[in-house]
Amino acid sequence: MTYLWLALAFIAAAVVAGVIFARQGNRSGEARSGEARSGEARSGEAANHWKAVALAFAALAVLTAVFDSVMIGMELFHYDASHILGLKVGLAPIEDFAYPLAGVVALPGLWMWLTRKRSGGRGDESRSAGHNLKGLVPQALLASRPVSWINTAYPFAAAMLLTTREIDWVLIVGTFYFLIPYNLAMYGINDVFDYESDLKNPRKGGIEGALLQPHLHRPMLWLAAITNVPFLLVLAFAGGPVAWISLAVSAFAVVAYSVAGLRFKERPVLDSLTSSTHFVSPAVVGLALAGADVTPGLLVLLAAFFLWGMAAHAFGAVQDIEPDRQAGIGSIATVIGARRTVRLAVGLWLVAGLAMLATPWPGPLAAIIAVPYIANCAPYWNVTDTTAARTNVAWRRFIWLNYGSGFLVTLIFILQWSLTS
């Protein structure tokens, strides 16, 4: 089979799935509102939908052309000329662009289906348990924040792959764990115990967090346990004492941040420390499983990553000052105030960037990555508690900045790979 036929199969499946999911999502919205939209309104929405798909594909196509050309130019992989058409953008064969195309066609429809409004009131407890569980899987998927999955899977995979230089079952299992089950536990548990405050938070119920209904709370906790414990045991079996400790710290941080009795998220400064642990610990687990040598440069890199995570959490807490105070939650932002928290975040990102200058080459190149985060945050240098909600605009940009940063980090990793091969 040529790469072309394989690519076309992916695109065909994506188109079918995207259309079905989008239609189901739209029908659910109409059924709930009781209003049937006109054909003109539907066609307008469809046009806007496909314009957004085209714009997203254009951005991903540019990244694919650059990213693949760099990897092919460094001879990290190659294509058999007999299995491709021969058309290229840079060094990237045209077939490579099928995969981002499949993604942008299928994923928006999937998101519309996952975020569709369901009929029935929030407090309808008269339904049977079986019916109550009907929406568990899509709601759990939504609660796991798919847009942020890569933020935990990538550090693990990069740390392990750059250390071992090979793909084995531990890398695959660990990457999958930190991609989905880990995020399901981290965000799902948080949505269960934050339900009362989330009701007062207008940004919940979409890309920035699910509003998990009460009848799904206990099933969500069980689902988090069932999907996490087996992976933790398997990964522990694959490693030694250092891996056991790092896995234990990672799992404890996920639970302690949200559950009643611990609620580290309500302990100022400790909340940012714990949140940063959520993202740095996967990298530490990867290094432990790979048996990496602990060097000063590696410690500085991890410290910079940790400071970045603290800055991200602190800045993200600013937008929630009002709903958090209404719910009696004492975050770092509610305690020291919006202005000081923003300035702290800028300072942490600055120190993280400067710290990268002390890492072995090509690590210092990553120092530039701190600049867009600082630029995104700095305009709110004088924000007040009453205007803190306005930082949500910058927080939404922050979510997408992570993807651009991940792209640059990957290029640096590729350079490091080539220099040490």
Side-chain angles (χ1 to χ4, degrees), residues 27 71-72 92 123 129 156 217 301 325 392 417:
R27 286 174 182 172
M71 290 193 294
I72 294 170
F156 171 85
H217 287 181
L301 188 153
R325 282 181 175 161
N392 177 251
W417 183 294

Side-chain angles (χ1 to χ4, degrees), residues 149 175-186 224 227-228 231:
W149 284 356
T175 301
F176 179 80
Y177 168 66
F178 284 109
L179 184 72
I180 302 177
Y182 181 81
N183 283 289
L184 177 63
M186 180 166 64
T227 55
N228 276 258
F231 281 97

